[in-house]
Amino acid sequence: MTDDRGMPGSQSDHHRAAGSHFSAGSVRSDGGTTPGRDRHRILRELRGELARHPAVLSVAGETPSEYRELQATLDPSWFGRSGATASLRITWIPDPSPGPEDSDRTSDAWMRTPIRAYYTVHYNEPSGFDCGFHCEPNPHIDGLLHYQKRDEASNPYTYEPISFDARSVSGLLWEMMDALANRLSV
Amino acid sequence: MSPVNSPDDPEWMETWKEHASAFDRVKSVTMTLSEPQSAPWIAEQAAVSANTARDHLRRLVDLSVVTETDDAGTSHYYPDPLYIRLRDIRALLEETTKQELSEQAAELKTEIAAWKTEYDADTPDTLRERAAADTVSAEQAYELTRAASDWELARYHLSHPRRDHKLRHLGI
């Protein structure tokens, strides 16, 4: 594994310019790659936040030692849903560099959200109904951030643009959970 | 010292305040930062007063959970990298046996080898650079960036306890 450890300085050139005085040098001294560590750190913190939410029965990071996503079991009745169970899947990629705007593919990619990351919060019911908020490149909506849903697994998704105002990652999670509650109560 | 109760707070903020203390909100905002931020910025996101944020941040700095840096005369805060590293190693040791650790390391190495072959690249940086090319579509760029992120995550965890020999030093 010695040939694949973080190489000092190798990512600092194009890693996020803002705050680079801090993130490029001192953070990397712990031996890991900064984006890899940040993804696990943020998902681990979001796990704690999600556990506080009244609709969440349990939440775990997957895989346990290396969070690539969070999987939660929800109480659908909290959202006014009739099913017995529901689940939530959350992904977070904190460093989207180079972002879509870097090659001028989508100049307004980051409109509607102040947080620059790729993320998804997706709700599933065993009936086949699923919906979620996605901030990722897609061919359906201008910009990245959108809501998508389908009533059955065999149906195509419908897509619509949405916007979020939270400027902290934890705040955004709570904003998305509230937005999810609003969508599900309709 | 009490949380700021503003009638202008959005609904989700009220939900958050109902279920998380001021300290928990300050800690959570700080622990998910991507770059150092000032106490007033953290206070605004956590819906607390600047003084409350400073008090909680000082406690987190005393506990070595958060680092404080000076930027043009203003204190900025960020998760302490050593705290994060030690917390992850402890979680890893609690959750896994030595045998599992070496199996995980082997799996991570296999995954990295597969990425190297699939993308004909030596490092995740190469994937991110490739994603920036004009000829790459937005979807392809996203796929490359996501693969780079997975690769970086695997590297981070592979570098953790320096696996076997490090554990031996720890007498585990």
Side-chain angles (χ1 to χ4, degrees):
Chain A
M1 72 187 180
T2 50
D3 63 339
D4 213 299
R5 205 161 293 153
M7 283 157 294
S10 61
Q11 296 188 5
S12 57
D13 292 342
H14 61 259
H15 188 61
R16 194 179 299 110
S20 60
H21 65 286
F22 188 92
S23 59
S26 55
V27 174
R28 294 184 60 81
S29 64
D30 67 0
T33 64
T34 300
R37 191 209 54 224
D38 287 353
R39 182 169 165 189
H40 179 77
R41 165 172 62 86
I42 289 172
L43 281 170
R44 195 183 183 287
E45 196 64 32
L46 292 182
R47 186 196 72 185
E49 282 302 301
L50 212 51
R52 301 184 209 282
H53 195 279
V56 175
L57 300 176
S58 66
V59 56
E62 188 61 40
T63 62
S65 63
E66 180 197 284
Y67 287 10
R68 297 185 181 200
E69 62 181 62
L70 298 179
Q71 292 171 3
T73 306
L74 303 182
D75 173 9
S77 69
W78 193 86
F79 297 107
R81 304 286 296 179
S82 58
T85 60
S87 62
L88 194 71
R89 179 173 173 267
I90 293 179
T91 64
W92 191 274
I93 296 179
D95 179 10
S97 64
E101 72 282 7
D102 285 7
S103 53
D104 204 26
R105 282 182 289 265
T106 318
S107 58
D108 54 358
W110 299 101
M111 62 186 172
R112 304 194 300 272
T113 173
I115 294 179
R116 296 201 167 202
Y118 292 137
Y119 53 86
T120 61
V121 168
H122 205 91
Y123 173 91
N124 277 280
E125 290 182 357
S127 66
F129 171 84
D130 69 82
C131 66
F133 306 110
H134 295 223
C135 188
E136 58 188 7
N138 71 92
H140 309 285
I141 295 287
D142 280 345
L144 304 180
L145 186 55
H146 65 276
Y147 172 74
Q148 63 184 69
K149 78 156 191 170
R150 60 183 177 186
D151 292 326
E152 292 177 25
S154 56
N155 289 359
Y157 280 109
T158 57
Y159 301 84
E160 64 178 279
I162 50 165
S163 62
F164 291 127
D165 298 324
R167 294 168 67 200
S168 75
V169 176
S170 303
L172 176 64
L173 179 69
W174 286 89
E175 187 175 16
M176 288 194 284
M177 290 302 285
D178 252 36
L180 180 65
N182 290 336
R183 294 281 178 172
L184 293 175
S185 66
V186 173
Chain B
M1 285 313 193
S2 60
V4 177
N5 283 309
S6 162
D8 298 330
D9 276 348
E11 206 175 313
W12 59 265
M13 183 62 88
E14 294 303 325
T15 314
W16 193 13
K17 283 160 73 171
E18 192 182 325
H19 296 283
S21 69
F23 177 80
D24 288 336
R25 298 198 304 277
V26 168
K27 178 168 177 280
S28 182
V29 166
T30 309
M31 297 308 279
T32 53
L33 287 175
S34 289
E35 59 191 46
Q37 292 287 0
S38 68
W41 190 94
I42 291 168
E44 187 183 345
Q45 312 318 318
V48 300
S49 71
N51 282 340
T52 299
R54 279 193 194 92
D55 282 351
H56 292 327
L57 287 164
R58 202 169 297 130
R59 197 180 310 168
L60 290 165
V61 170
D62 286 346
L63 292 168
S64 300
V65 172
V66 166
T67 58
E68 182 177 0
T69 52
D70 184 82
D71 187 354
T74 305
S75 287
H76 281 63
Y77 301 88
Y78 193 77
D80 188 312
L82 185 57
Y83 169 79
I84 298 294
R85 169 68 75 177
L86 294 175
R87 185 180 68 173
D88 290 346
I89 290 174
R90 188 172 62 188
L92 191 66
L93 294 176
E94 283 172 356
E95 285 168 14
T96 51
T97 64
K98 192 177 170 185
Q99 173 67 25
E100 286 170 330
L101 280 177
S102 62
E103 285 171 8
Q104 279 182 10
E107 281 174 24
L108 290 170
K109 287 177 193 173
T110 304
E111 279 191 307
I112 287 172
W115 285 318
K116 282 183 175 175
T117 304
E118 182 178 350
Y119 295 104
D120 190 24
D122 288 331
T123 70
D125 297 351
T126 311
L127 267 55
R128 289 192 186 266
E129 284 158 15
R130 215 172 277 167
D134 286 341
T135 50
V136 173
S137 73
E139 283 75 22
Q140 286 171 322
Y142 176 46
E143 180 56 37
L144 287 166
T145 306
R146 195 166 52 181
S149 180
D150 287 348
W151 192 336
E152 288 153 358
L153 189 61
R155 270 181 163 190
Y156 171 60
H157 284 276
L158 204 49
S159 71
H160 253 345
R162 300 284 185 270
R163 299 280 159 174
D164 299 343
H165 71 273
K166 190 79 167 197
L167 292 174
R168 227 171 286 131
H169 282 304
L170 293 169
I172 295 168

